[in-house]
Amino acid sequence: MLVLLLPFAAQAQHLTFSDPVLLVAPAEYFFDGLLVADLNQDGLQDILYKIGSLEAIWHAQQDSMQFSAALSIPGTAEFSATIDAESADVDLDGVPDLIMARSPLDSLSYSVLKYSEQAGTLGITDSLGPQGGPASRFSMVDLDGDLDPDLLKWSTLPSRPLGWYENTGPAGLSAYHLIDSLEVFTVLSGDVDNDGDLDICLDVGNAGLYWLENMDGSASQFTLHAITESGRLQGIADVDSDGDPDLLAWDYWNNFPFPDSLALHLYRNTAGTGVFTEAQTLYAGIARSDIYRSQFVDLDEDGDVDILVAATAVYWYENLDGQGNYSELQTLKEPFWPDYASILYNVVDLDTDGLPDLVVHDWRFGVAWMRNMGMTGIAGNPLPATPELHPRIQLVSPNPFNAQLRIDLQVPHAQSIQLALYNVAGQRVLSWPLHYYPPGAHTVRIDEFQGSSGKYFLHLQAESSFDTRGITLIK
């Protein structure tokens, strides 16, 4: 196994993301999932989420990145608490539908929803029963090659079926086909063997990575092929521009001296044969609890496949030459919250400027948008300066500190601001009353802090944004 992927000799430029901008305020209850998609067919990306046993909520994007008040979707209270939803044109009428899973997860069934321009809301138009036994996840793909989206479903529990609902055209999803009974965590599709049909890549329990070969292009028969003995599948894409899909996966890092740590591996497809190279290690030794996700995505919009890694901060590997020669790990955003255990990510071009942004969500700060500002540091082509739009923590001093701390704030526009201090477990240990600040520079002080030595996070919550700064107490 290769130990580290050496950086390519070319000089990588710097990709910049904005500070988080608040889109949806924190909820009283825990947010259970997030989908960003064009739900009302106006060309703008909207926001959909679920809160426990309440009806699903969506916010329609309006002009200038403003979002509507919460719009509930009638009849969705029984739907899956952890939202599993996709957008696809199920009935082939030229208008994408919204497909959502209904609970309980042990007998997962599905509903198709459409936007009514007359009513101005989403409504259920069709429902599909839990054929083929229980499942817990699904995706919409054209598995049988007849140019309509089928529903592929699977379960993360042992001896549960991996199967698919066939789309029969205007009548929608109907016949169910069993593929195998496998304990599957992640399922991704792609033409692994370069024969013109969709195959299935998956990780099976603790048994490793596999792919299912679509033998006749109609998904009537599959053959299972082993890739590696362990790993959790993260992405599938052609990283080296040779016409076949390669794989990205996390795996346990046995050579690292700390327990429960992971390594990020790249597996290259050999000439479209479905035979993959030995694991190429991009990064090793990160704590398992720090990982939320990693994925293939063209972050800098230069036509090749980069890698996004969301851990204790947000990182990326730049594909420097389109051949899968990657830069060193680069930081996109420093940690902006004490822990990432409940943060969810969507990578989507929210502002329709051609660059994929990050939409993140956590019940403690709501839904926030980090805009992709593009590449900087390119000679002769700097990004124009942008005015300060949101309050921010300008300086914290001294850092590290001992009992006393000075906090300098910059407030571009008059508004109410809440400051709070959190420990690394996400517990609030100090807070200030909500205060109305006029425009300008302001100073807040801690005169005597009695906490234990260690890392803390100073969090500024404004009316439409937030900012967080890591600080260290030494006694």
Side-chain angles (χ1 to χ4, degrees):
M1 177 182 292
L2 299 179
V3 175
L4 288 174
L5 179 63
L6 297 176
F8 189 65
Q11 178 63 44
Q13 303 299 332
H14 182 62
L15 184 64
T16 304
F17 278 75
S18 71
D19 290 332
V21 176
L22 192 67
L23 301 177
V24 178
E28 182 179 353
Y29 306 99
F30 189 82
F31 279 61
D32 287 311
L34 177 71
L35 174 72
V36 181
D38 182 8
L39 301 177
N40 57 0
Q41 312 309 316
D42 63 354
L44 300 175
Q45 301 292 321
D46 309 306
I47 294 171
L48 171 73
Y49 56 87
K50 187 87 162 56
I51 302 177
S53 60
L54 303 179
E55 290 182 332
I57 298 293
W58 70 291
H59 297 261
Q61 186 179 164
Q62 301 164 341
D63 294 335
S64 303
M65 287 298 299
Q66 299 298 311
F67 287 81
S68 71
L71 303 167
S72 63
I73 304 177
T76 57
E78 66 171 9
F79 281 34
S80 174
T82 302
I83 209 163
D84 207 356
E86 287 198 23
S87 180
D89 185 7
V90 174
D91 53 6
L92 305 181
D93 64 353
V95 179
D97 310 300
L98 177 65
I99 302 91
M100 292 182 65
R102 299 203 310 275
S103 60
L105 290 180
D106 234 21
S107 57
L108 194 67
S109 53
Y110 312 91
S111 285
V112 178
L113 297 89
K114 278 189 177 295
Y115 177 75
S116 168
E117 189 170 354
Q118 183 177 4
T121 189
L122 288 157
I124 299 172
T125 61
D126 188 24
S127 293
L128 191 66
Q131 300 178 49
S136 56
R137 296 296 308 277
F138 78 95
S139 66
M140 302 300 297
V141 293
D142 181 15
L143 204 57
D144 54 4
D146 61 355
L147 304 181
D148 55 35
D150 309 303
L151 191 150
L152 178 64
K153 72 168 192 174
W154 64 95
S155 176
T156 59
L157 300 175
S159 302
R160 300 298 175 90
L162 169 69
W164 63 289
Y165 290 98
E166 183 179 355
N167 193 337
T168 56
L173 301 163
S174 58
Y176 174 79
H177 305 275
L178 176 67
I179 297 175
D180 206 334
S181 294
L182 297 167
E183 181 186 355
V184 179
F185 283 86
T186 308
V187 173
L188 298 172
S189 58
D191 187 6
V192 175
D193 51 4
N194 210 18
D195 63 353
D197 55 37
L198 277 185
D199 307 301
I200 301 171
C201 295
L202 41 85
D203 48 52
V204 179
N206 295 317
L209 304 181
Y210 291 80
W211 70 283
L212 285 160
E213 182 180 358
N214 191 340
M215 299 301 295
D216 58 1
S218 65
S220 63
Q221 182 181 356
F222 288 88
T223 299
L224 189 66
H225 301 275
I227 299 173
T228 183
E229 294 180 352
S230 61
R232 284 286 178 265
L233 190 62
Q234 298 289 301
I236 179 170
D238 182 10
V239 305
D240 46 13
S241 305
D242 64 353
D244 53 43
D246 310 297
L247 300 180
L248 185 69
W250 285 107
D251 198 0
Y252 288 105
W253 180 244
N254 297 325
N255 296 329
F256 199 76
F258 302 109
D260 206 25
S261 57
L262 298 176
L264 181 62
H265 294 321
L266 178 65
Y267 297 89
R268 297 177 188 261
N269 195 342
T270 307
T273 61
V275 176
F276 289 85
T277 62
E278 193 174 304
Q280 194 169 10
T281 303
L282 293 169
Y283 189 74
I286 193 164
R288 185 181 181 188
S289 59
D290 287 339
I291 296 299
Y292 177 69
R293 70 181 296 180
S294 57
Q295 68 182 83
F296 289 132
V297 58
D298 185 6
L299 283 171
D300 52 5
E301 288 295 302
D302 62 354
D304 55 34
V305 181
D306 309 305
I307 298 172
L308 174 74
V309 179
T312 50
V314 184
Y315 308 95
W316 78 304
Y317 291 96
E318 182 186 1
N319 193 335
L320 296 170
D321 59 354
Q323 302 299 311
N325 290 302
Y326 285 94
S327 68
E328 294 180 329
L329 190 68
Q330 303 178 61
T331 300
L332 288 176
K333 295 302 294 182
E334 296 290 349
F336 58 90
W337 200 255
D339 68 87
Y340 274 58
S342 57
I343 290 182
L344 302 176
Y345 285 84
N346 274 240
V347 181
V348 61
D349 182 10
L350 192 64
D351 54 359
T352 63
D353 66 350
L355 295 171
D357 308 307
L358 290 178
V359 179
V360 298
H361 124 239
D362 180 287
W363 68 274
R364 293 163 293 189
F365 62 67
V367 180
W369 166 53
M370 289 187 283
R371 183 188 178 194
N372 189 337
M373 308 293 289
M375 301 295 285
T376 60
I378 302 173
N381 187 31
L383 282 177
T386 56
E388 290 285 350
L389 298 177
H390 305 285
R392 63 185 176 89
I393 302 169
Q394 189 170 38
L395 181 66
V396 179
S397 64
N399 190 14
F401 74 106
N402 182 324
Q404 296 183 339
L405 186 70
R406 171 178 170 148
I407 304 163
D408 292 331
L409 309 178
Q410 188 64 41
V411 182
H413 308 289
Q415 59 186 289
S416 296
I417 292 173
Q418 173 85 59
L419 286 172
L421 191 67
Y422 293 82
N423 61 22
V424 293
Q427 300 167 326
R428 182 182 295 189
V429 296
L430 182 64
S431 62
W432 288 258
L434 183 68
H435 184 73
Y436 184 81
Y437 289 85
H442 302 272
T443 298
V444 178
R445 297 180 185 274
I446 297 177
D447 293 323
E448 191 67 31
F449 182 60
Q450 300 297 328
S452 303
S453 296
K455 186 72 174 287
Y456 293 85
F457 289 84
L458 180 65
H459 185 70
L460 178 155
Q461 180 72 61
E463 294 173 359
S464 62
S465 66
F466 61 86
D467 191 16
T468 302
R469 185 70 59 89
I471 57 176
T472 302
L473 174 65
I474 297 179
K475 288 191 170 182

